[in-house]
Amino acid sequence: MLNGEDPDSQNPTLGTEFYTNGESFGNGSTIQPMNNVSGNIWNNTNIRPDDIYPEIFFVPTDISYTNAPEEITIDRSHYHLLKFTNPYTMVDNSNFFIEFNTIPVSSNSAIDLQVYIVGKNRGISFFERSDWRNSPDVEMVGTISKDDNYHHIHSENSKHHLIRLSTNTDRTIGNKHIDISENFWIVLMASTPSAIRSWKLRYHDKSKNNGRDNDGLTNQSLSETDATWFTGNEKNRTTSPLSGLPDAHIHIARSGNSTTGVGVNLDSPTPSVIPSGHSFWIKVNQGYSSSVFPFTKNSRVKNSNSYLKSASLPKYESVRIISHSGLLEDEIALVDVKDASQGVDIYDAEKFLGNDENVLEVFSLISDKKLSINSQPLSEETTIPLGVSCKSSGIYSISLRSNQTDFTVLLKDSLINKIVNLSSSGSYEFEITQSGVKLDRFYVTFLKSVATHVEDSSDSRDIIAYSENGGIWVKKSDNFEKVRFSVYSINGGLAKKGVLIGNNPIFIGQFPTGVYTLAFQSSDNTQLNSVKLLVAKK
């Protein structure tokens, strides 16, 4: 099993686990070899979450799991300051987990344990100010109650509470948008002078880690300059470095699209393959701590697609659009999520372009972000830019794979100013004469309540309008002798105007394929009902 979350893709020799002072723990991706059971059957029963998610820690997992911890008080005169060097490049919509092994002194009397995060480039002297908690670079991100159970238990020695956060679109944390790039602090505080109401932080002596202390030095006196664990006194406004290794760590991992449960480029709603570069879990029956999951050489298949992780969650209505390059395809999903924002948020998934010279890759755009899954609340008329990327010129096509919504889906090719109704035509073929990334050629429009023929059209007493084989027909009611009309394209340009006389259906002209809005006005300048039409030739 491989952990593919290297912090720097340009330097794959970097490890995925780090001490709090920034020192790499191990080289490259975490590898857990399989053990041969028999024949071609292999297994490994020692996979842990720490093998999957990038981590910054004081003490390696093997030590905290197997050694009994020591305890130190957390109260007003002994709150704890944990400094983390952050070697990872932060991106939006990343999971950020704060984990720590603490216990209330009294399950009946302990006050809530407060958890703060402090932004980068703050030295230890910052905490010797009386008002440090009021700084815009400080935010309380969670509390732990005496009644809260541990989030997870690794062993009798290592049990963790967890504060779950995620990065904002500007790659910061929290409501105050705390910058955690390069370095940050986590502060654990129980603001009480009473011993019975305080907490304990569990830690390990440096002797358990071959003499390496939290400052990175081995078998030497603790360096106050390089220390990453301090205690603070709220009353006296003093701080002191501490020797040892708290059982506390940070996990940072990019999120998938689990919020919507929508994936792309899957063989089926339940994919039949495990993508390369992905970790995975095996479910075992209750009461069992391990399982054998056999693989044979015949189980291997060529990795011809790029997969995203997805979870089983309530499904949202979505539209799937695919690009075709001969027999090869790429896919995006556009999802109607009422709670999503118009910008990039937890409902979206970023698109990472590949290097295959034979594939036309497709993505949607929000500002400068390329998305493979774009979730937003779709209105009566919503237009979304559609980008493509190819390594070679040629003939390609875009089509509608599925449409779970009640929207009509139109594709506009702005290069030749052509609009195609993907909901009816199914596919659009086009030529790309120059390779590269195209950000402004294609647009997808979602339309509701669009009349396509007379049965769909407006049936109000004022005006009836419908489209037939590329033409527009209009019939006014007997209540008006004359009615002025204006026809507008989807871009708002005036396509035609005129006057309706008589009560029979009137043909007002042929129009290029597209969506048009018809506005009507009576002779006394009263605005009548407007009609939106989708015009297309059979």
Side-chain angles (χ1 to χ4, degrees):
M1 181 177 292
L2 303 179
N3 179 342
E5 296 281 359
D6 277 329
D8 185 351
S9 60
Q10 303 302 316
N11 187 358
T13 61
L14 286 175
T16 59
E17 295 181 306
F18 290 84
Y19 281 109
T20 52
N21 70 337
E23 180 184 337
S24 177
F25 181 77
N27 294 315
S29 296
T30 300
I31 301 177
Q32 288 284 6
M34 306 288 277
N35 302 310
N36 184 247
V37 177
S38 64
N40 288 325
I41 299 177
W42 301 73
N43 81 329
N44 187 313
T45 60
N46 296 315
I47 305 299
R48 298 186 295 246
D50 296 348
D51 297 321
I52 299 173
Y53 300 110
E55 183 181 17
I56 310 173
F57 54 66
F58 286 90
V59 57
T61 300
D62 290 340
I63 293 173
S64 62
Y65 277 27
T66 57
N67 291 278
E70 300 182 47
E71 295 180 347
I72 187 170
T73 298
I74 308 175
D75 61 15
R76 181 180 297 175
S77 300
H78 306 87
Y79 66 89
H80 290 266
L81 302 145
L82 311 177
K83 184 179 181 181
F84 293 83
T85 295
N86 183 5
Y88 299 100
T89 299
M90 302 308 299
V91 299
D92 57 307
N93 190 26
S94 287
N95 293 318
F96 186 89
F97 300 148
I98 306 170
E99 299 188 20
F100 44 89
N101 189 353
T102 56
I103 186 172
V105 170
S106 169
S107 59
N108 295 320
S109 305
I111 67 170
D112 286 355
L113 180 68
Q114 299 172 339
V115 182
Y116 294 86
I117 191 164
V118 182
K120 73 174 185 179
N121 296 336
R122 290 295 188 178
I124 190 61
S125 61
F126 171 75
F127 299 97
E128 296 171 359
R129 296 164 34 184
S130 62
D131 61 346
W132 67 266
R133 280 181 286 181
N134 296 325
S135 168
D137 294 331
V138 179
E139 183 171 341
M140 187 170 73
V141 292
T143 59
I144 301 297
S145 163
K146 59 181 173 53
D147 299 318
D148 289 340
N149 295 322
Y150 287 107
H151 180 269
H152 54 271
I153 298 176
H154 299 295
S155 70
E156 185 59 34
N157 299 317
S158 186
K159 309 172 184 180
H160 293 119
H161 293 291
L162 182 145
I163 302 295
R164 183 191 302 266
L165 305 172
S166 61
T167 54
N168 303 311
T169 56
D170 61 357
R171 307 176 185 185
T172 60
I173 284 288
N175 296 324
K176 290 187 176 182
H177 293 260
I178 307 297
D179 187 351
I180 57 172
S181 64
E182 301 179 22
N183 55 75
F184 58 89
W185 296 80
I186 300 297
V187 182
L188 303 177
M189 176 181 289
S191 190
T192 177
S194 170
I196 196 70
R197 304 188 70 196
S198 65
W199 285 66
K200 296 288 186 180
L201 171 63
R202 288 170 168 166
Y203 72 101
H204 296 272
D205 187 86
K206 67 178 183 178
S207 61
K208 298 295 195 311
N209 194 29
N210 298 316
R212 185 195 186 283
D213 214 336
N214 65 72
D215 59 359
L217 300 178
T218 301
N219 295 325
Q220 299 182 47
S221 298
L222 182 71
S223 166
E224 295 188 13
T225 303
D226 299 324
T228 57
W229 180 26
F230 295 79
T231 183
N233 187 312
E234 186 179 17
K235 181 178 180 180
N236 297 333
R237 305 174 195 167
T238 58
T239 60
S240 302
L242 293 175
S243 175
L245 307 165
D247 186 2
H249 53 264
I250 301 293
H251 283 304
I252 302 174
R254 293 184 180 184
S255 304
N257 57 306
S258 59
T259 309
T260 61
V262 174
V264 294
N265 286 321
L266 302 177
D267 293 332
S268 66
T270 304
S272 59
V273 299
I274 300 167
S276 61
H278 282 231
S279 304
F280 58 92
W281 295 100
I282 302 170
K283 183 178 180 180
V284 299
N285 292 328
Q286 188 172 356
Y288 290 84
S289 60
S290 63
S291 177
V292 175
F293 192 52
F295 285 95
T296 67
K297 291 184 178 180
N298 293 332
S299 301
R300 298 178 300 178
V301 297
K302 181 180 179 181
N303 180 25
S304 58
N305 288 306
S306 176
Y307 289 88
L308 290 176
K309 301 171 187 176
S310 186
S312 178
L313 294 171
K315 299 298 182 182
Y316 295 89
E317 292 183 344
S318 64
V319 171
R320 297 176 182 275
I321 294 175
I322 54 176
S323 60
H324 303 267
S325 315
L327 297 177
L328 300 177
E329 296 178 349
D330 192 27
E331 181 184 37
I332 63 167
L334 306 169
V335 192
D336 186 12
V337 180
K338 302 307 180 188
D339 294 330
S341 68
Q342 298 292 342
V344 179
D345 56 24
I346 60 173
Y347 296 98
D348 303 310
E350 191 172 351
K351 175 77 172 187
F352 296 95
L353 299 178
N355 296 313
D356 196 320
E357 295 185 358
N358 300 312
V359 175
L360 176 72
E361 296 185 89
V362 62
F363 50 89
S364 63
L365 284 163
I366 294 182
S367 298
D368 60 343
K369 284 291 184 182
K370 302 179 183 68
L371 301 178
S372 59
I373 299 172
N374 184 340
S375 302
Q376 57 180 279
L378 299 180
S379 60
E380 292 290 318
E381 182 176 324
T382 303
T383 297
I384 299 173
L386 198 69
V388 295
S389 174
C390 62
K391 299 294 190 296
S392 58
S393 59
I395 303 298
Y396 300 97
S397 64
I398 291 176
S399 67
L400 195 63
R401 168 163 283 171
S402 64
N403 183 3
Q404 300 172 342
T405 73
D406 57 356
F407 287 87
T408 298
V409 183
L410 305 179
L411 175 70
K412 180 180 179 180
D413 185 344
S414 61
L415 182 64
I416 60 174
N417 197 30
K418 182 175 183 179
I419 296 176
V420 178
N421 182 0
L422 292 181
S423 296
S424 60
S425 64
S427 182
Y428 172 62
E429 188 174 90
F430 55 93
E431 182 180 9
I432 291 182
T433 58
Q434 187 174 1
S435 61
V437 178
K438 319 294 182 184
L439 301 179
D440 56 0
R441 177 169 177 176
F442 297 103
Y443 296 85
V444 175
T445 298
F446 297 87
L447 292 171
K448 259 188 180 178
S449 304
V450 178
T452 57
H453 48 81
V454 68
E455 287 80 4
D456 296 335
S457 63
S458 166
D459 58 358
S460 73
R461 64 183 183 86
D462 294 338
I463 301 291
I464 294 176
Y466 60 94
S467 171
E468 187 173 78
N469 195 24
I472 295 179
W473 296 77
V474 178
K475 181 181 183 300
K476 69 176 184 63
S477 73
D478 296 337
N479 297 328
F480 303 97
E481 181 180 354
K482 294 181 181 181
V483 171
R484 292 192 295 273
F485 72 86
S486 300
V487 182
Y488 298 94
S489 68
I490 193 172
N491 297 321
L494 180 63
K496 191 171 184 176
K497 64 180 180 179
V499 178
L500 303 176
I501 300 175
N503 300 324
N504 295 321
I506 299 173
F507 177 70
I508 63 174
Q510 292 283 137
F511 295 86
T513 299
V515 176
Y516 297 86
T517 299
L518 281 67
F520 301 96
Q521 190 178 52
S522 66
S523 55
D524 62 356
N525 295 324
T526 300
Q527 296 295 329
L528 308 178
N529 62 288
S530 62
V531 178
K532 186 175 292 184
L533 287 175
L534 174 61
V535 176
K537 291 185 178 181
K538 294 181 179 179

